Amino acid sequence: MDDVIIIGGSFAGLAAALQLGRARRKVTVLDTGLPRNRFAGHSHGLLGHDHKPPLDILAEARKQLERYPTIRLVNARADSISGAIDDFSVLTADGESHRARRLILSYGVVDQMPDVPGFAEGWGTSIVPCPYCDGFEVAGQHWGLVWSGPQSQNSARLFHDWTDRLTLFADGHEISPDIRADLARRNIPVVNSRITGIARHGGHNATVKLDSGPNVTVDILFAHPRNKPSASLHEPLGLATVDTPLGIVLKVDERRETSTPGIYAAGDLTNPLIPSVTTASWQGAMAGIFVQQSMLA
């Protein structure tokens, strides 16, 4: 039996494995090799790895984990979880069964692309969600923001640290008069027409096609489509969740433990509002540390 099974081997999962491996705990990491940020050309904000391709960072991390004899990386999809603390069982898609005293769920989320031609093709390049990840490279340029709800007002305020040229696309949604007044005060124009397509022009540049009025070309387009967990393993377990403006996340306490004793979670699966490799990495590291401490005799 392992000490810990980690389901999801991207930034959060591998960071957890590193801490547990250094504590000489026996760990199996199950991963399908499809990280959320695989569409991005570079990752930013991760100390020591700034402006590196995310897949390269993960490949280097896996190589570094090879020096820890108690860590095992397995290319497999977890299909089901059963058992309880000190005796969990995970069944994979290929019929293998793995047992462990603790679990860490770090299988992340998937973004639900809107039915707009060109949106999915531009995701991660000309269309991005996070100014901390991509804002510096296009600072001072013309930004676009697709309205996704009242939280977009805070995004518009946040973006001011990077640019004073921002166009907000209402995409046919209602925006309250008080928010419109605040946007006007900040000299942020609002385009009310619905978006009918996105055309990418290399790099970050994109043209937003509209159902009425002229199209608008921006240097980068920010959008926050809803997302959902990339697997449903938490549902049969009845783990408590939180409904955020962008989707469902797992509820965890200050030690990264879910509502079921012995099951911990980290990364975008617990925090989709600020998707960041930095956030995922520190959450994964803390999950690994807290799990190790929970098994002390």
Side-chain angles (χ1 to χ4, degrees):
M1 177 184 289
D2 287 328
D3 289 310
V4 186
I5 293 173
I6 300 172
I7 303 177
S10 188
F11 288 90
L14 295 184
L18 176 61
Q19 299 302 322
L20 288 161
R22 291 188 60 78
R24 303 195 300 174
R25 290 291 184 172
K26 189 177 179 183
V27 183
T28 293
V29 181
L30 303 176
D31 184 55
T32 60
L34 298 172
R36 183 186 185 189
N37 64 353
R38 63 189 182 277
F39 305 104
H42 299 86
S43 286
H44 299 108
L46 185 63
L47 188 64
H49 296 285
D50 190 48
H51 202 64
K52 288 184 180 179
L55 295 181
D56 289 357
I57 300 174
L58 291 174
E60 183 178 344
R62 293 188 188 97
K63 186 172 182 60
Q64 291 177 356
L65 291 179
E66 291 176 359
R67 69 186 289 250
Y68 298 98
T70 59
I71 298 176
R72 184 166 62 116
L73 305 179
V74 179
N75 182 16
R77 186 184 78 241
D79 266 4
S80 65
I81 297 171
S82 59
I85 189 169
D86 287 325
D87 190 10
F88 289 106
S89 180
V90 178
L91 183 66
T92 65
D94 55 11
E96 293 290 328
S97 181
H98 303 266
R99 295 173 60 211
R101 296 178 59 194
R102 301 288 188 275
L103 299 178
I104 296 177
L105 307 183
S106 54
Y107 46 80
V109 301
V110 292
D111 298 291
Q112 299 175 281
M113 299 293 103
D115 188 20
V116 174
F119 193 101
E121 292 79 2
W123 186 245
T125 52
S126 55
I127 309 171
V128 297
C130 174
Y132 297 102
C133 302
D134 296 283
F136 181 84
E137 282 68 31
V138 287
Q141 299 182 41
H142 184 190
W143 290 20
L145 172 64
V146 180
W147 180 265
S148 60
Q151 67 275 5
S152 294
Q153 180 185 17
N154 187 61
S155 295
R157 296 171 56 205
L158 182 69
F159 290 177
H160 184 72
D161 275 0
W162 285 274
T163 186
D164 57 5
R165 299 168 58 203
L166 174 64
T167 296
L168 192 146
F169 297 92
D171 195 23
H173 293 100
E174 291 292 332
I175 300 178
S176 65
D178 60 319
I179 292 180
R180 285 183 178 272
D182 178 68
L183 295 170
R185 182 175 63 84
R186 300 175 188 279
N187 297 314
I188 299 174
V190 177
V191 176
N192 296 307
S193 304
R194 287 191 177 277
I195 297 174
T196 60
I198 308 291
R200 181 185 172 195
H201 305 294
H204 291 299
N205 303 82
T207 294
V208 181
K209 300 179 180 180
L210 305 165
D211 65 353
S212 63
N215 298 334
V216 179
T217 297
V218 294
D219 294 303
I220 194 167
L221 182 64
F222 284 83
H224 302 96
R226 285 187 64 82
N227 48 58
K228 63 179 181 179
S230 66
S232 58
L233 297 170
H234 57 283
E235 294 177 358
L237 296 170
L239 301 186
T241 59
V242 179
D243 192 3
T244 78
L246 296 182
I248 298 293
V249 298
L250 299 189
K251 184 178 182 179
V252 295
D253 63 16
E254 67 278 0
R255 296 177 65 83
R256 314 301 308 171
E257 192 168 19
T258 69
S259 58
T260 294
I263 301 180
Y264 295 70
D268 290 351
L269 187 59
T270 64
N271 179 30
L273 297 180
I274 308 178
S276 162
V277 296
T278 303
T279 302
S281 297
W282 76 255
Q283 288 183 353
M286 296 310 298
I289 290 170
F290 288 135
V291 165
Q292 183 257 341
Q293 293 178 357
S294 78
M295 293 184 290
L296 298 179

